[in-house]
Amino acid sequence: MDSCEKRVLLTLIVPVMNEEESISPFMAAINDKLEGLAAELEILFIDDGSTDSTIQQIEKAATNDERIRYLKLSRNFGKEAAMTAGLDHAQGDAIVPIDVDLQDPPELIHDFLRLWQEGYDTVYGVRATRLDDGRRKRASAGLFYRVFNRLSHTTIPPNAGDYRLMSRRVVDAIKQMPERNRFMKGMFAWPGYSSIGVEYDRPARYAGFTKWNYWKLWNFALDGLTSFSTWPLRIWSYIGGGIALLSLIYMLSIILRTMVFGIEWPGYASIMSAVLFFGAIQLISIGVLGEYIGRLYIETKGRPIYVLEKKN
Ligand code: UDP
Ligand code: MG
């Protein structure tokens, strides 16, 4: 390396919740895989309301390693809030959120850094294989990316997670996004600038277990769609217009048939189906309205996204 080149600072943001067994293998992997990295490291753990000895493990690691800093949240706020706390307190010129369970291979950071130095503002990891996930999970993830990118102005690259490098100006743009509903994949993509993907094989979790299940994933997808698109609201005008047109045609045909064949019209079945069908359609549209109103309610309260208990 050129000796007069200024050393850059790279911050790793590591949200942790009940990960006592993972802290020291994580640090070992960082020390092993990031040896000779062309940047200084700052390792910022965010303890997201752990109830085990995670914070003691972090403190222990921090005593003989001055690159380690940590934030402790006052309770569990969720990974998104923990990452937000990390973004707010990171000092690096480039920032990488990384999972502590070693599912985000640290050696990739060499590539991230190189591409960032070549001028890309975001370098995101793309999961070439998802060894941990079944066929159904992969298919539903694929469907989600297609729907999202159709409906939203922000394009998120398929199979890219939170594991990525972001330049300082990308992070500064994200820090200006005040929303409570933090769909990070979308928020990371929203500032724009140049970006590039790097493929990697995503290994299985090192220890502990994942905090996700299908119900959580479904809600996650809904949060993502509603915070980046108003299409679910607008579509009802079109559905309404379409149904109005069909109803008009149907009405004209009833009038015509009555004029030709007289009034004999057994209508019970058709009336019942119409009433039930339109009742259901209206309830669904009200439900969609409710989704957005609920989110508006949360946003207007303007509560802080996380509460810090301790900073080090
Ligand atoms: N995590 C967190 N708060 C939570 C849930 C998870 O800080 O409420 C952290 C967790 O400790 C881990 C990372 O977020 O470092 C990813 O969690 P997990 O491995 O459960 O998610 P997955 O890899 O299955 O997406
Ligand atoms: Mg994981």
Side-chain angles (χ1 to χ4, degrees), residues 99 101 103 202 205:
D99 285 0
D101 58 17
Q103 282 192 287
R202 190 165 169 83
R205 226 173 186 291

Side-chain angles (χ1 to χ4, degrees), residues 15 17 19 48 76 79 99 101 103 205 210-212:
M17 189 258 231
E19 302 277 8
D48 185 19
N76 179 250
K79 184 183 175 189
D99 285 0
D101 58 17
Q103 282 192 287
R205 226 173 186 291
T210 176
K211 284 116 198 153
W212 290 100

Side-chain angles (χ1 to χ4, degrees), residues 111-112 115-116 120-125 163-165 196 198:
D111 294 333
F112 284 0
L115 287 161
W116 170 62
Y120 290 99
D121 278 278
T122 299
V123 189
Y124 53 87
Y163 189 36
R164 61 185 61 216
L165 179 148
I196 188 169
V198 179

